[in-house]
Amino acid sequence: MSRDMQRFVQLPAALPPKRGANSRRKDFAEIYDAFATTEAGDQASRCAQCGIPFCQVHCPVQNNIPDWLKMVAEGRLEEAYALSSATNNLPEVCGRICPQDRLCEGACVLEQSQHGSVTIGAVEKYITDTAWEQGWVKPVTPERERAESVGIVGGGPGGMAAAEELRKLGYQVEVYDRYDRIGGLLVYGIPNFKLDKVVVARRVDLLTRSGVKFHRQVEVGKTVSFADLRRKHAAILVATGVYKARELACPGAGAAGVFRAMTYLTASNRHGLGDKVPAFADGSLNAAGKHVVVIGGGDTAMDCVRTAVRQGAKSVKCLYRRDRENMPGSQREVANAVEEGVEFIWLSAPEAVLHDSDNQVTGVRAIRTRLSTADASGRAKPEDIDGSQFIIPADMVIEALGFDPEDVPGLFGEPGLAVTRWGTLRVDESKMTSVPGVFAAGDIVRGASLVVWAIRDGRDATAAIHNYIQAQTSAAPSLKKAS
Ligand SMILES: Cc1cc2nc3c(=O)[nH]c(=O)nc-3n(C[C@H](O)[C@H](O)[C@H](O)COP(=O)(O)OP(=O)(O)OC[C@H]3O[C@@H](n4cnc5c(N)ncnc54)[C@H](O)[C@@H]3O)c2cc1C
Ligand code: SF4
């Protein structure tokens, strides 16, 4: 069925049906149903087909959004898939978990003119899920195989995107990851209710069928040396993400029952995947029946509160030192959390974790804050309000305060790898680090960021790696070969 475009006046913006909060509190299934074909076409036909598509400008992978929306409206789904997958290696993942309100949809002219953005992410998810159902998603078959190999350290979205792009160019690609599953934070960080693990697993399977060789449970710097990898491959891409959790620095922070967000989320994700998780089975990492306080206001905090709700916590509170307008987490996720029964305590900061004589956490003493004028970074700074302390009872406290990079040069035994003052790897405009032939992408370069930015970096690094290897091979053709 073909439709006219620019139907934003007749048709209100709509997301696919969302399961009711009562139903979704009980399980870890994704909360949005799929668009029906008619709904997807109707929503796509709302696009104004702007001369300058701000949605595309604000999409980190520069998706050709207006064109694939038109194709969906005209019922040309296979073409829409070909176009959308030309710029994005994981479109169905981005369609699900990009914070669209801050990216493509936030920039949509219809949003700016109060008509409500085209629901771009939901259409992108619809296109690619349909492509999988129809068998249009095919493994990579390079036009010609190249002898040179590239080693990728880290199998998260940055590493996965680069692996696929490098295979398209015919390189032999080997991915090393310290986890037992490929996907990085897509598997062990982000909960199933946002991104079903099956969605990630079928991509990993596709990459395997595309000829990518995965080495699981191989920690570079421990299981294998970085120097050996450099000898083995013509180029290396480091896409190791950021995993050093920022911790509470207040009295009582070491009490039993205080956990880091990733410890908590990894246990929950592993349990959901059917792994044996002793600390979940013995109840320590399970929020069931507990009063839970999560400290932080980012996407990680939102995932923790919503996980605790689903595990059957008695109460779930989120403590954040700024207000709702100034929190880093996606507003859509905050709204979902509120619907699911999470209580937000805005403008409040932890002063101490309280515990009993057995060192078991009993609560959090917090202090009210007010926001000062914005600092140089543009964010309002919270200031404590004297004498405003209050106590929140808790059996479990989860720290979701953000992540810093690990000491990659130290872990890799490669002091020549230059880092920024934040500890992220320093790269030049071609994504090459200070060590020739070693490139970097994703969170380890940007600091904690987004899946779609990791994909963009992985794609950009591929082009740079290709240029580097071509230059090296023409200078010394027999320099490095695939093993
Ligand atoms: C809880 C949580 C929720 C999030 N929610 C969202 C969201 O909704 N939307 C969004 O866009 N982004 C979200 N993010 C951010 C997003 O997940 C990251 O920006 C993205 O995964 C970064 O990709 P990456 O490839 O750089 O690193 P990662 O995904 O972290 O992958 C890095 C991989 O490197 C491996 N590795 C590390 N060191 C070594 C080593 N020495 N040897 C071998 N392997 C190694 C790790 O095991 C891991 O598999 C979230 C993050 C968290 C923590
Ligand atoms: S990749 Fe993300 S930002 Fe780009 S169109 Fe898709 S949902 Fe929007």
Side-chain angles (χ1 to χ4, degrees):
M1 171 184 174
S2 188
R3 299 166 178 79
D4 293 335
M5 297 301 287
Q6 302 179 327
R7 296 204 300 158
F8 56 88
V9 180
Q10 299 97 304
L11 288 172
L15 283 165
K18 185 161 70 166
R19 295 163 59 215
N22 276 341
S23 140
R24 57 188 208 245
R25 282 168 60 96
K26 297 185 188 116
D27 63 44
F28 281 78
E30 287 188 0
I31 71 167
Y32 290 100
D33 293 335
F35 263 144
T37 305
T38 325
E39 289 168 321
D42 283 347
Q43 288 300 311
S45 76
R46 295 184 66 248
C47 174
Q49 300 284 285
C50 305
I52 299 175
F54 292 103
C55 54
Q56 179 170 4
V57 174
H58 284 81
C59 165
V61 289
Q62 315 266 276
N63 272 340
N64 195 341
I65 301 164
D67 284 1
W68 49 248
L69 286 173
K70 189 164 191 295
M71 288 170 178
V72 174
E74 291 172 354
R76 295 154 57 200
L77 270 183
E78 192 166 357
E79 286 170 79
Y81 169 69
L83 191 60
S84 88
S85 60
T87 48
N88 192 348
N89 302 80
L90 302 169
E92 72 281 35
V93 173
C94 292
R96 284 171 165 84
I97 62 166
C98 268
Q100 286 101 8
D101 47 355
R102 287 191 264 140
L103 299 171
C104 53
E105 294 180 16
C108 173
V109 165
L110 300 185
E111 182 69 17
Q112 304 299 326
S113 60
Q114 315 291 318
H115 286 92
S117 166
V118 177
T119 41
I120 298 166
V123 177
E124 189 176 22
K125 168 179 177 276
Y126 167 79
I127 294 170
T128 322
D129 283 349
T130 307
W132 278 100
E133 279 162 29
Q134 297 295 325
W136 302 333
V137 185
K138 297 272 182 354
V140 174
T141 45
E143 270 177 28
R144 75 176 174 100
E145 293 289 346
R146 294 175 194 269
E148 299 88 356
S149 71
V150 179
I152 299 179
V153 189
M160 288 171 77
E164 184 170 55
E165 292 302 301
L166 285 161
R167 279 302 292 141
K168 286 181 190 166
L169 293 169
Y171 289 104
Q172 310 310 308
V173 180
E174 299 192 36
V175 177
Y176 303 83
D177 201 291
R178 62 186 173 192
Y179 285 146
D180 53 348
R181 291 186 180 86
I182 299 298
L185 290 172
L186 303 182
V187 175
Y188 290 124
I190 299 170
N192 211 71
F193 52 81
K194 274 168 58 181
L195 174 64
D196 196 306
K197 304 301 164 215
V198 169
V199 174
V200 186
R202 70 185 176 190
R203 278 281 165 194
V204 177
D205 175 57
L206 186 81
L207 287 175
T208 307
R209 288 189 282 127
S210 301
V212 176
K213 200 167 165 190
F214 290 106
H215 302 274
R216 295 169 175 82
Q217 292 181 291
V218 173
E219 180 158 5
V220 175
K222 282 194 184 156
T223 328
V224 292
S225 80
F226 187 63
D228 281 349
L229 282 200
R230 287 194 66 210
R231 277 190 285 276
K232 181 175 177 187
H233 299 292
I236 301 284
L237 177 68
V238 181
T240 46
V242 289
Y243 284 87
K244 195 166 94 189
R246 289 185 200 140
E247 292 175 351
L248 278 175
C250 63
V258 180
F259 298 103
R260 294 176 184 167
M262 269 306 286
T263 308
Y264 174 66
L265 291 172
T266 303
S268 175
N269 278 315
R270 280 197 178 282
H271 174 71
L273 283 160
D275 294 354
K276 280 205 176 90
V277 188
F280 185 89
D282 72 14
S284 41
L285 278 173
N286 185 350
K290 294 178 185 165
H291 295 288
V292 178
V293 174
V294 176
I295 302 172
D299 282 330
T300 305
M302 294 312 103
D303 290 348
C304 290
V305 289
R306 299 178 67 205
T307 296
V309 165
R310 284 161 175 78
Q311 288 177 347
K314 266 192 199 143
S315 71
V316 184
K317 296 187 172 64
C318 181
L319 188 70
Y320 183 55
R321 61 196 178 136
R322 294 188 171 88
D323 56 12
R324 182 167 180 164
E325 288 68 44
N326 286 285
M327 67 183 296
S330 157
Q331 290 298 325
R332 202 178 273 174
E333 294 306 300
V334 180
N336 285 332
V338 170
E339 284 171 15
E340 289 163 11
V342 175
E343 184 187 333
F344 283 84
I345 308 177
W346 309 110
L347 292 167
S348 303
E351 263 197 353
V353 174
L354 310 176
H355 53 86
D356 61 19
S357 54
D358 293 329
N359 200 31
Q360 180 62 46
V361 64
T362 56
V364 176
R365 190 176 74 230
I367 185 164
R368 302 276 178 208
T369 59
R370 69 168 84 80
L371 294 181
S372 66
T373 46
D375 62 15
S377 72
R379 292 191 78 196
K381 205 167 167 285
E383 290 169 350
D384 293 350
I385 301 175
D386 287 343
S388 65
Q389 283 85 350
F390 62 104
I391 287 171
I392 316 164
D395 315 304
M396 185 180 207
V397 172
I398 301 171
E399 304 165 296
L401 305 169
F403 302 92
D404 288 316
E406 293 161 289
D407 169 22
V408 177
L411 290 170
F412 285 6
E414 179 48 84
L417 273 174
V419 295
T420 65
R421 67 190 165 105
W422 299 279
T424 50
L425 287 182
R426 192 184 287 282
V427 293
D428 63 17
E429 61 288 347
S430 78
K431 307 268 178 240
M432 188 150 84
T433 67
S434 50
V435 176
V438 177
F439 297 76
D443 281 5
I444 192 57
V445 175
R446 294 178 180 274
S449 179
L450 294 174
V451 168
V452 66
W453 278 116
I455 295 170
R456 166 68 189 266
D457 286 352
R459 296 173 67 88
D460 288 352
T462 297
I465 289 170
H466 181 50
N467 289 340
Y468 170 82
I469 295 179
Q470 291 309 295
Q472 293 294 107
T473 344
S474 55
S478 60
L479 199 60
K480 278 177 181 153
K481 296 274 184 248
S483 58

